[in-house]
Amino acid sequence: MWIFLSLIKALNSVLPFLREPIQKAWYYWLFAFLLVYLTFPFLRLFEEPSIGLDPSWQIALSMLRNQAGVWGKDYIFNYGPLGSYIYRLPIEVEAWRQYLYDAFFFGNLLYFYATCFPKNAKYYHFLIFLACHIFSFEMIGETTAFLWMFLGMYHGFVALKAQSKWKHLISLSLAFTLLGIIFFTKSNYGIIVWPFLLGLIVVMVLEKQIRWWTGLLYVCFIVLGLIVWAAYLHTNLLLYCTSSLHIIATYNAGMSVYPEAYEKLTAITYAIFSLQLLISIYVVYRTSKQSWRAYFLIATGLGISFVLLKYSFVRADSGHFTAYIKLMTYVCVLIYVFSEHKVLKRVYLGFMPLLFLLYVLIYAPLVGYTQLGIWHGIKYRPLILTYYLKGTREVAKERPKLPASFIAKIKNQPVDVFPFEISSIYNSQLNYAPRPTLQSYVAADRYLDSLNEVHLASKNAPPFIIYSLEKSKLKYPWSEELLSQKALFEHYRIVDSNDSLLLFKRQHNARKLRLVFTRHSKHRIGDKITLGDLQSGYLRETTFETSYSTLGNLANLLFQPPQLLAELSSVNSCEKVRIAPNLLKKGFWSNQLVLNLAQAKQFYLQEVDSSANLKSIKFRDAYFFSGGFKPEILVRHRYYRIE
């Protein structure tokens, strides 16, 4: 009993202090430095390259640093010319550049943590902010990309609120710099930052903070700055934006993963977002004469939250699923700092401990903390000075190389790899010469795939291609690169192979595929689409055009794109695979059922195996939920003669 009374007495003595206003300005900077130090995630300046899908494109981004190519034209990917700095591989980069990148990022993060307090902040704000940030902040890859965008927006609101002309200009310049960095780093965040910056300038004009001609001058400087920056980074702005929009439009459908194991957590996440949306609508409706900056702040908060929500459920695996619940803390801080509406400030302040408790008590125990999260950071905190600042690197492990016969044939000639294992080229110290989309899953529509086809048919095509076939339960592996496969078939021949890889070499006497006939038909989802047998010397390309229903469009907007389940029947087997609508619209070669590398090899060599002939296809839209598609499917068969 006396212990309980002692705790009550101690708490009563502490509470008055926590309610006291923070007296010293340097306390904020001390708090910010402590928080940045505790959440600093990088044990080493550089990490050693690994193998697999994600490590491969990280290697590719680093290897392209010093290659003579144009982003948006020669190189097209989810990330841009600055994307390699996030993943910190010691390839084609000086240490001082990575130090400078990190220093600028953490300097801005330090400024945010030191200035994100309301007027007359109390000591209890330190505890709330520390608890929420330290547990929800796990800065790896995507989180870092988000924070570049968020910090740029934060500087934008500082500029909007600034009374001093110099503070206004400096904050606006920092906003442009940070938003420009994320634009040239990652396309999905980068595309949305410029509407924000344009909206910010419009609000400044409407609030009479600047004159209309000053706003127009700001826009001109931003456009000019982007043009100069793009030229320095060897980027075609128009093509970079165009290709990024194509990737964004198709990536969601092609790479989505349904949160089958986390359906209750999904409901909780959407309940929180719905509550946030309803409260924001209520505040706008009930409060008259709101300023333009207040509306803009609410709209920005909801916009960021929706982006995080979509990101969490595009690929609802353990690495993406918690993005909304973790990073919403920053939205709460943004609203709490800049809003002048007392109810809204209190609501978002209340959201912070709620999100903290949900993440720590519910999400993290089920999904797990990330490998390099806060606990890893605290454990290795004493080693930062030794490892990071001195540039100490991890001892590199022995990495698998390509077969010796492949390396002997390729020598130092340019080479590309299908579908994604670029690490094999790096590990074997070969001369990497990529097709535009770098990895196969990126070429998810005919526009992107056609760029690869044109490249592989041109004089700039690499002499060698290393080829394998991805094994996945989430897609039909033969449906990814129809047009690239066409270019391979016409211009390359297999010169070496083993059980897992084919080596193609470019040939001067190219084969030709001449279109001889096109046939159209209409079917309904659930009907069996019968495919006839082909004569020797012919290939058939089949495309399937589907349309989302109203429910499907709603699901695509708010959750995930609906998926189709396909039953592919050959003479001896029936394979059920998930196929995204964008890949169906792009089409695939429907001569044979191709599920493994041996069957792909038969296609390229034109070795007839009648048992693998594709006889029929049937689609169902009941992949986790039904009703996402209109019932009609438009089918087009294009027949080619091999010459």
Side-chain angles (χ1 to χ4, degrees):
M1 184 66 179
W2 67 271
I3 296 176
F4 177 75
L5 293 175
S6 299
L7 288 174
I8 294 296
K9 185 177 179 180
L11 186 62
N12 287 333
S13 63
V14 170
L15 284 177
F17 171 76
L18 293 178
R19 294 194 184 102
E20 288 289 322
I22 300 171
Q23 301 293 334
K24 306 285 187 180
W26 64 270
Y27 287 176
Y28 295 108
W29 292 97
L30 179 63
F31 166 81
F33 180 82
L34 175 66
L35 190 55
V36 169
Y37 179 69
L38 288 176
T39 55
F40 191 88
F42 306 127
L43 179 59
R44 301 174 182 86
L45 179 65
F46 294 116
E47 297 295 335
E48 290 302 314
S50 184
I51 61 172
L53 189 148
D54 286 349
S56 284
W57 59 253
Q58 294 164 19
I59 289 171
L61 292 176
S62 299
M63 293 175 73
L64 293 177
R65 278 173 168 145
N66 294 330
Q67 290 202 20
V70 177
W71 283 90
K73 175 178 175 287
D74 302 310
Y75 311 134
I76 295 168
F77 197 63
N78 311 57
Y79 287 81
L82 296 180
S84 57
Y85 286 95
I86 286 184
Y87 293 97
R88 32 199 346 99
L89 300 183
I91 303 173
E92 304 292 343
V93 62
E94 298 91 346
W96 70 267
R97 291 181 181 271
Q98 192 66 53
Y99 278 126
L100 183 63
Y101 178 90
D102 289 352
F104 185 65
F105 176 78
F106 282 103
N108 281 279
L109 195 62
L110 193 71
Y111 174 80
F112 164 69
Y113 283 142
T115 60
C116 67
F117 291 88
K119 291 181 180 179
N120 303 318
K122 311 294 193 300
Y123 283 100
Y124 69 79
H125 285 103
F126 280 151
L127 295 180
I128 294 175
F129 282 27
L130 179 66
C132 293
H133 285 303
I134 204 169
F135 281 95
S136 65
F137 182 86
E138 299 186 60
M139 192 179 55
I140 306 168
E142 290 289 353
T143 307
T144 311
F146 166 80
L147 283 175
W148 278 108
M149 179 187 75
F150 175 81
L151 292 172
M153 291 181 171
Y154 182 80
H155 280 298
F157 279 103
V158 172
L160 186 60
K161 194 175 182 180
Q163 300 298 319
S164 164
K165 183 178 180 180
W166 282 110
K167 185 176 182 180
H168 168 84
L169 289 173
I170 291 171
S171 297
L172 196 60
S173 300
L174 284 170
F176 168 75
T177 303
L178 286 156
L179 297 177
I181 288 173
I182 189 58
F183 174 70
F184 290 113
T185 296
K186 187 163 176 59
S187 60
N188 59 357
Y189 287 133
I191 292 295
I192 65 177
V193 299
W194 303 123
F196 164 81
L197 199 56
L198 180 61
L200 184 73
I201 293 171
V202 170
V203 170
M204 288 177 178
V205 173
L206 293 174
E207 291 279 306
K208 298 182 179 179
Q209 186 177 3
I210 59 175
R211 296 185 178 182
W212 68 268
W213 57 266
T214 306
L216 191 60
L217 193 63
Y218 282 173
V219 173
C220 292
F221 275 124
I222 288 170
V223 173
L224 181 62
L226 267 180
I227 292 172
V228 173
W229 203 344
Y232 175 75
L233 294 175
H234 306 291
T235 302
N236 183 310
L237 268 180
L238 180 60
L239 293 179
Y240 182 69
C241 292
T242 301
S243 59
S244 296
L245 289 172
H246 276 273
I247 291 173
I248 293 169
T250 57
Y251 183 88
N252 288 359
M255 301 298 289
S256 62
V257 177
Y258 186 80
E260 188 175 5
Y262 311 121
E263 290 181 337
K264 292 182 180 178
L265 292 186
T266 301
I268 293 173
T269 305
Y270 272 87
I272 295 170
F273 177 75
S274 299
L275 181 62
Q276 178 192 1
L277 179 62
L278 290 173
I279 290 172
S280 300
I281 293 173
Y282 175 80
V283 168
V284 171
Y285 177 74
R286 295 289 295 180
T287 306
S288 59
K289 297 182 180 179
Q290 284 270 45
S291 64
W292 285 105
R293 72 178 65 182
Y295 290 127
F296 185 65
L297 177 64
I298 292 172
T300 301
L302 289 175
I304 297 173
S305 302
F306 183 71
V307 169
L308 290 174
L309 188 75
K310 285 288 291 182
Y311 173 73
S312 295
F313 296 106
V314 167
R315 294 180 64 187
D317 53 23
S318 58
H320 297 76
F321 186 76
T322 58
Y324 175 84
I325 208 73
K326 288 190 299 189
L327 299 178
M328 256 297 292
T329 297
Y330 294 95
V331 178
C332 294
V333 172
L334 187 73
I335 302 294
Y336 186 63
V337 172
F338 292 106
S339 177
E340 298 174 357
H341 194 281
K342 291 183 179 179
V343 173
L344 203 62
K345 290 170 73 75
R346 290 170 182 170
V347 166
Y348 276 91
L349 182 63
F351 265 132
M352 292 177 67
L354 174 63
L355 295 169
F356 159 69
L357 291 173
L358 286 173
Y359 178 60
V360 174
L361 299 179
I362 299 178
Y363 284 76
L366 289 175
V367 179
Y369 290 100
T370 57
Q371 184 181 0
L372 299 178
I374 182 62
W375 300 119
H376 178 279
I378 292 175
K379 179 180 178 181
Y380 291 102
R381 195 63 39 212
L383 300 178
I384 283 181
L385 294 179
T386 304
Y387 282 65
Y388 177 82
L389 294 179
K390 291 184 178 180
T392 305
R393 285 169 56 181
E394 184 182 10
V395 177
K397 299 177 181 178
E398 185 68 25
R399 293 184 289 267
K401 297 182 180 180
L402 291 166
S405 62
F406 282 38
I407 297 174
K409 289 182 175 68
I410 297 169
K411 298 179 182 178
N412 64 343
Q413 297 183 76
V415 60
D416 194 8
V417 61
F418 282 63
F420 60 78
E421 197 59 72
I422 303 162
S423 63
S424 64
I425 295 178
Y426 174 75
N427 296 338
S428 303
Q429 298 182 331
L430 298 176
N431 183 10
Y432 179 47
R435 61 198 180 281
T437 63
L438 304 189
Q439 291 182 319
S440 294
Y441 67 89
V442 179
D445 66 12
R446 292 188 78 92
Y447 169 78
L448 295 170
D449 201 6
S450 68
L451 299 178
N452 291 342
E453 180 190 20
V454 170
H455 172 75
L456 293 173
S458 72
K459 62 180 181 180
N460 297 322
F464 289 93
I465 299 288
I466 301 162
Y467 188 94
S468 64
L469 203 65
E470 182 183 3
K471 297 178 181 179
S472 175
K473 297 179 181 178
L474 298 177
K475 57 188 173 184
Y476 181 41
W478 190 239
S479 67
E480 278 195 327
E481 287 185 286
L482 166 82
L483 301 179
S484 301
Q485 291 162 355
K486 180 174 180 285
L488 276 178
F489 187 90
E490 289 183 316
H491 299 282
Y492 289 80
R493 300 291 184 275
I494 297 172
V495 294
D496 202 348
S497 66
N498 62 19
D499 292 339
S500 59
L501 294 171
L502 304 176
L503 179 63
F504 285 85
K505 184 177 181 180
R506 187 171 175 82
Q507 303 293 319
H508 295 294
N509 53 336
R511 287 184 289 196
K512 297 291 185 182
L513 290 179
R514 186 178 299 279
L515 180 64
V516 294
F517 181 65
T518 301
R519 180 167 61 90
H520 297 270
S521 60
K522 293 183 180 180
H523 301 269
R524 296 179 67 84
I525 291 177
D527 293 345
K528 180 183 288 188
I529 302 172
T530 303
L531 305 171
D533 291 332
L534 285 179
Q535 298 177 11
S536 177
Y538 286 83
L539 295 181
R540 178 178 57 224
E541 166 201 317
T542 305
T543 63
F544 306 86
E545 188 166 348
T546 60
S547 299
Y548 289 139
S549 64
T550 302
L551 176 62
N553 283 318
L554 193 62
N556 185 32
L557 174 65
L558 299 178
F559 180 55
Q560 282 187 351
Q563 303 286 329
L564 285 166
L565 188 67
E567 294 181 9
L568 306 171
S569 300
S570 65
V571 175
N572 293 332
S573 65
C574 178
E575 189 73 17
K576 295 182 179 180
V577 294
R578 189 191 80 166
I579 299 187
N582 57 295
L583 295 179
L584 286 175
K585 187 175 182 179
K586 188 172 69 169
F588 57 88
W589 300 108
S590 59
N591 297 49
Q592 295 176 303
L593 179 63
V594 179
L595 299 172
N596 53 55
L597 189 66
Q599 292 172 328
K601 183 178 180 180
Q602 288 176 343
F603 170 84
Y604 289 112
L605 295 176
Q606 280 299 283
E607 295 177 350
V608 178
D609 178 8
S610 59
S611 66
N613 287 350
L614 192 59
K615 293 294 185 180
S616 66
I617 304 174
K618 183 166 71 172
F619 296 103
R620 292 191 296 113
D621 72 339
Y623 191 81
F624 291 112
F625 67 92
S626 60
F629 292 88
K630 294 179 180 178
E632 190 174 77
I633 302 177
L634 302 178
V635 181
R636 184 186 67 182
H637 303 287
R638 293 161 65 95
Y639 296 87
Y640 295 87
R641 183 171 61 241
I642 304 171
E643 298 179 349

